[in-house]
Amino acid sequence: MARELMTLGQRLQHARKMRHMTQAQLAEAAELGQPAVSKIEKGDTQETPAIARLAAAVQVPTAWLERGLGPEPNWSSPAVGVAHSVSQLVVETVPTMTWEQIQMTDRDKLPPVFRVQIDDAAMAPRVPSGAWVQFDRRVTPRPGDGVLLRDSTGGVCFRYYRAGRPGCWEAHAENAAYAPLDSQRDGLEILAVLTAVEGRWS
């Protein structure tokens, strides 16, 4: 084990950076407060009952994160930011939809699973414009998931799902040039949850 990865905090920080996550994103995905993640990474906290959630959030074995057991994880596997299992392949029988078709279709009439080609840079560099992704409308979103949304104007977009004010939730882009959306203010409706990305996350 490399010297710089001898502690839980060092391994967690390394894994988080390799997955291109901020402390806030990791905290949300692991259902912790950001200060708790900061304390673990600084070494102020040596043990945590949330170790399994943290390991799942950064997609590493719990034994490696907690005790440094086993080889260092393969960082070329799909990155985090999506709490549900993400595969690199899309089943060929999954129907393909256009953004225009999605905009014109009620949520309940969308296929249970469908794929669409991303047409903007809101989630770049992780999911660049032109990438093919797969959504499932039967999945309930969790903080950190990628979600397909419709706003009050009928526009459709792809964002991260995050907890917001009591009774509300927010939708955030990977690209800072895109402003966060608020479920109440923007009249957001979740159409489906991201379950697969063709190829690898950037």
Side-chain angles (χ1 to χ4, degrees), residues 8-9 11-13 15-16 19 21 23 25-34 36-38 40-41 45 47-62 64-66 80:
L8 165 62
R11 288 188 293 276
L12 181 62
Q13 183 181 62
R16 174 177 62 78
R19 296 306 191 194
M21 300 176 78
Q23 283 188 350
Q25 288 172 328
L26 173 56
E28 189 170 38
E31 300 178 1
L32 291 172
Q34 187 271 332
V37 172
S38 178
I40 295 170
E41 290 191 355
T45 301
E47 296 182 359
T48 173
I51 188 70
R53 296 201 305 271
L54 287 166
V58 292
Q59 293 185 355
V60 299
T62 301
W64 179 84
L65 182 61
E66 186 174 27
V80 175

Side-chain angles (χ1 to χ4, degrees), residues 17 53 89 137 161 173:
K17 290 182 176 179
R53 296 201 305 271
L89 298 177
R137 68 175 174 84
Y161 175 83

Side-chain angles (χ1 to χ4, degrees), residues 25-110:
Q25 288 172 328
L26 173 56
E28 189 170 38
E31 300 178 1
L32 291 172
Q34 187 271 332
V37 172
S38 178
K39 286 183 179 180
I40 295 170
E41 290 191 355
K42 288 179 181 177
D44 296 339
T45 301
Q46 300 298 327
E47 296 182 359
T48 173
I51 188 70
R53 296 201 305 271
L54 287 166
V58 292
Q59 293 185 355
V60 299
T62 301
W64 179 84
L65 182 61
E66 186 174 27
R67 300 185 300 278
L69 300 179
E72 185 170 332
N74 176 12
W75 303 117
S76 64
S77 62
V80 175
V82 179
H84 292 283
S85 174
V86 176
S87 67
Q88 294 182 31
L89 298 177
V90 174
V91 179
E92 292 182 2
T93 57
V94 172
T96 297
M97 298 193 72
T98 65
W99 289 96
E100 293 75 17
Q101 289 173 323
I102 295 170
Q103 288 174 340
M104 298 170 58
T105 305
D106 290 340
R107 181 187 183 280
D108 292 342
K109 294 182 179 178
L110 289 169

Side-chain angles (χ1 to χ4, degrees), residues 137-155:
R137 68 175 174 84
R138 302 164 298 184
V139 175
T140 300
R142 299 180 297 197
D145 278 348
V147 290
L148 187 65
L149 307 168
R150 179 182 286 131
D151 63 25
S152 59
T153 69

Side-chain angles (χ1 to χ4, degrees), residues 109-126:
K109 294 182 179 178
L110 289 169
V113 179
F114 57 92
R115 62 194 290 261
V116 64
Q117 188 173 29
I118 299 301
D119 68 349
D120 65 23
M123 298 298 279
R126 188 162 288 182

